Amino acid sequence: MKLSSPFFHHAMPTQRVMLLVCAALIPGALIQIYFFGFGVLINLLLCAGFAVSAEYFVLRLRNRPAKETLKDNSALLTGLLLGIALPPTLPFWMTFVGVWFAIIFAKQLYGGLGFNPFNPAMVGYVLLLISFPVEMTAWLPSRALAENLPSFSESIQLIFFAQTNEGHTVESFRQLADGFTMATPLDFVKTEATLGLMTSEIFSQARFDANLSGWMWVNAGFFVGGLYLLVVKIIRWHIPVAFLSGLFLTSSVLNLYDPQLFSPAWFHLLSGATMLGAFFIATDPVSASTTPKGRLIYGALIGFLIVIIRSFGGYPEAVAFSVLLLNLAVPTIDHYTKPVIYGHKEDKEAHHE
Amino acid sequence: MSDQLTHNIQFNEIVKPAPGQFHGGIHPAEFKSVSNTQTISTIDSPRELVIPLKQSAGLTATPIVSVGDKVVAGQLIAKKQGAISANLHTPLAGEITLISPKYAGHPSGMMSPTVTIQVDDDQDLSNQKSQGENLPKLADWTLCEPEELISQIALAGIVGLGGATFPTNVKLKAQSIETLIVNAMECEPYITCDDRLLREQPERVLQGALIAARATAANNIIFAIEDNKAEAIASLSTCIKKFSPAIPVSIVVAPTKYPSGGEKQTIELITGQQVPAGQLPSALGLVIQNVATLHAIYEAIVNRKPLTRRLVTITGNLVTKPGNYWVPFGTPIEYIMQIFSISQSDCKRVIIGGPLMGNSITNFSAPVTKATNCLIFNRPDPKEKLWLTSATKHDPCIRCGECETACPVELLPQQLLWFSQSDQWENLENQGLFDCIECGACAYVCPSEIPLVQYYRYGKSAINKIKQNQINAERAKQRFDFREMRIARTKAERALKHQKAAEARQKAAENKPADPTGKQTAINDALARVKAKKAALNEPAEHSSNPTNNKVD
């Protein structure tokens, strides 16, 4: 078909955008592999494979050009984002369920790339978290603390057979020398707080501190990847800045209100999936708000909700829930934040009077 | 993020930086140097001219010549019709050979009425005298009344040569104008005709601007120009200093950014104000004229020349000597290809206008018209991803928002696409579809290569069609209602008439004397006599033979 103007076009193709986002995950992913073992890498590979195969399967069912569509790399990205969020020893079949559900129900049933109202990776994550809460919170202690992290082959054995040849299970890897099972810092804070400990008491524990340092490094890795995305202009500053500001402000206010009950802002910023969420999850353009003002509101409310759920909710981590809740609010946000079109300033003023 | 001037411009009391800025915009590769180093020249006279009768906004001009007529250069061949229309003059002497619909460059391939002229031999286009000086002689323009200037401009058939082709005389009639803005932005890639004109003939453009300012009673003139035209700025500012005009004239330099030459964007750059929706620049006391239009005004007022040719940028990698050339209107594009030795096997299409808002034409018989500011003969480099001339299957929109950051009118192109794809016309209109200027910046930056502007054109035409249908339906309803009303009225009238007639008859019957001629009395008397006779005859039988009579009664 012949086109009418414009005849010039100059932009990074969508498939390259997706690929660069995948590439930007590398620093964070490498650090996560270092601190939590090869299970992270195996999860990433499994998720990528499951995501691409799920996408291929549904596209064939839908009679869409499967191979061509797969080239947009969006399924790959969804897989990797979910993979990075999973505990490193999650049984492979759970991973499979999460990824296939994400691709089929959260993405393809809505019409595929561009039509999904919810972030597919987060839908998959939440499905798994609600269905398998024990396995989904069974994170290993970080290298800074762990006696021994599972080797590559041990990781494969744990993921596929739930125990190693020597009979070690995930639980035995999670236990420290003194028999104490280490949870993630967020989980630990939540559990200890329910036991009546004050934040100062929790934060002064050496093993908590050691474990937290691994998580802080991981967050730093995703922060670096996020900065790269900002520099190459694949994402814009609105969502990450609003997200982190919302998170910082909310946690600071709570912490100022009662420092012994609520964790300080730096802890919220550098633990859990904060940086991954701010730069890679909330910035998914398909499910995020699409107006400039809307993006600020969207990001800030996610940050706010994360702290609220982490502090008052039943789950230790809240990025996925917050993102999905705000996905739900996107049409409303977009409706009320339309920019003023050229020449319509006066209409708007008249409208407000 | 504010835009910076990227070129080194010396500012002084005449040359100033633009105070305003507009939202979005893009920085496409410029390709200006392909054609802007060559001095202006003329092309050899074509053998045949095909002059379309519609070369302006509004109505088609009415031809006033017939086949076989001899015409001289500059002769009026078609008269404007109605308020918004423009006169047409022949650029060259010759004979009218055909007046008929022909292909005149419409992108759809539609035919339109044209006048074909067989051009006389030996016409030297570089000779200014042969251009025809057919307009009435005016006194010194500095003493002319605005009406005189405007009517001369109307006679000359001048239209906006920036591409909109709106009749200039109509535009200049705007009331309470304070500032004339000369649009010399020329922001589209490849096009350099205004740039060259300002470099080589700034005094003519300046005088044209002063004439236009007088015609509109504007009390100052601002040349709006992008900073990538340093030579034009220098030459124009020297000219302004030398000329020392009666009203203040300044040059305002804006950063090079497409679409700074869009009328509304130019105004925002120069004044910091936006033209309110649904209003004209005159609402802000502004009138905007393009450089080439002002040159045409100068020619019409000072040299008595009607508009019969224009400066056209002939450029692209297939052109042997790219540059700016005076081309008579009606010159077929295939003739231009011939002089620039462009073979039709190399060149699949020509872009008329710029690559962002122009038209792509594959039928090279189309002529150059008043709207043709640039012809791009390009063989797209397969390695170069810049050109996009045929629709391929595009990726879905991922709502990345690149388009929204590029949109100069602050629309949300991603939302427009969403509503256009799903035929949600009301939402589409509420998102400001009709504020879209179709500059193409959104499509330029779209990572999914979505031809966004075509989706908007589709939406606009669909909505217009629906509105037309609504108007038609409303008219049909009115007609139907009127018919019903008329039928009811006739019926009522008829009923009334019948009633009146009946009443009249009744009245007449009442008023009639019982037996005006005495006939009835005579008949009654006769009947009575017959009855009496009969009674006398039957008297004897009455008691015995007729008992039933009483029963019947």
Side-chain angles (χ1 to χ4, degrees), chain B residues 298-309:
Chain B
Y298 167 84
E299 290 278 62
I301 303 291
V302 178
N303 292 338
R304 301 167 54 207
K305 280 184 197 165
L307 181 61
T308 60
R309 56 172 200 165

Side-chain angles (χ1 to χ4, degrees), chain B residues 4-213:
Chain B
Q4 304 285 314
L5 293 173
T6 46
H7 298 73
N8 195 16
I9 305 285
Q10 292 296 317
F11 293 112
N12 52 42
E13 70 281 4
I14 293 175
V15 186
K16 296 163 191 161
Q21 58 178 330
F22 65 92
H23 181 264
I26 53 173
H27 298 94
E30 295 179 18
F31 295 101
K32 300 272 191 191
S33 57
V34 179
S35 58
N36 72 0
T37 50
Q38 195 81 24
T39 50
I40 294 172
S41 74
T42 49
I43 63 161
D44 293 336
S45 164
R47 293 286 148 71
E48 193 182 71
L49 296 172
V50 179
I51 302 177
L53 288 172
K54 182 168 164 41
Q55 292 190 43
S56 71
L59 295 174
T60 305
T62 320
I64 54 162
V65 287
S66 16
V67 174
D69 285 2
K70 285 277 187 188
V71 289
V72 297
Q75 185 178 330
L76 183 70
I77 56 166
K79 259 191 165 159
K80 73 190 187 87
Q81 204 191 137
I84 303 192
S85 180
N87 285 344
L88 288 170
H89 306 76
T90 168
L92 298 165
E95 188 185 328
I96 311 285
T97 53
L98 195 64
I99 300 177
S100 78
K102 270 193 182 179
Y103 179 66
H106 196 278
S108 72
M110 191 173 75
M111 310 280 251
S112 39
T114 59
V115 174
T116 307
I117 297 171
Q118 186 68 42
V119 176
D120 292 347
D121 292 341
D122 307 324
Q123 294 200 62
D124 183 7
L125 285 182
S126 51
N127 181 355
Q128 292 288 315
K129 284 288 166 203
S130 74
Q131 291 298 307
E133 296 177 355
N134 309 49
L135 296 177
K137 196 165 168 57
L138 282 183
D140 179 3
W141 66 264
T142 52
L143 305 171
C144 283
E145 288 300 312
E147 295 75 39
E148 281 178 85
L149 296 172
I150 290 174
S151 74
Q152 180 90 341
I153 287 166
L155 282 179
I158 297 174
V159 299
L161 296 180
T165 66
F166 190 80
T168 302
N169 56 306
V170 181
K171 210 171 173 183
L172 293 179
K173 271 182 202 143
Q175 295 298 309
S176 57
I177 297 300
E178 281 175 23
T179 305
L180 167 71
I181 295 179
V182 183
N183 191 342
M185 294 290 194
E186 204 165 52
C187 58
E188 274 229 51
Y190 282 102
I191 310 175
T192 59
C193 53
D194 291 348
D195 179 13
R196 268 328 300 190
L197 202 54
L198 281 176
R199 287 196 210 185
E200 294 184 39
Q201 295 171 345
E203 67 292 338
R204 290 173 167 222
V205 180
L206 178 61
Q207 278 201 65
L210 291 166
I211 296 167

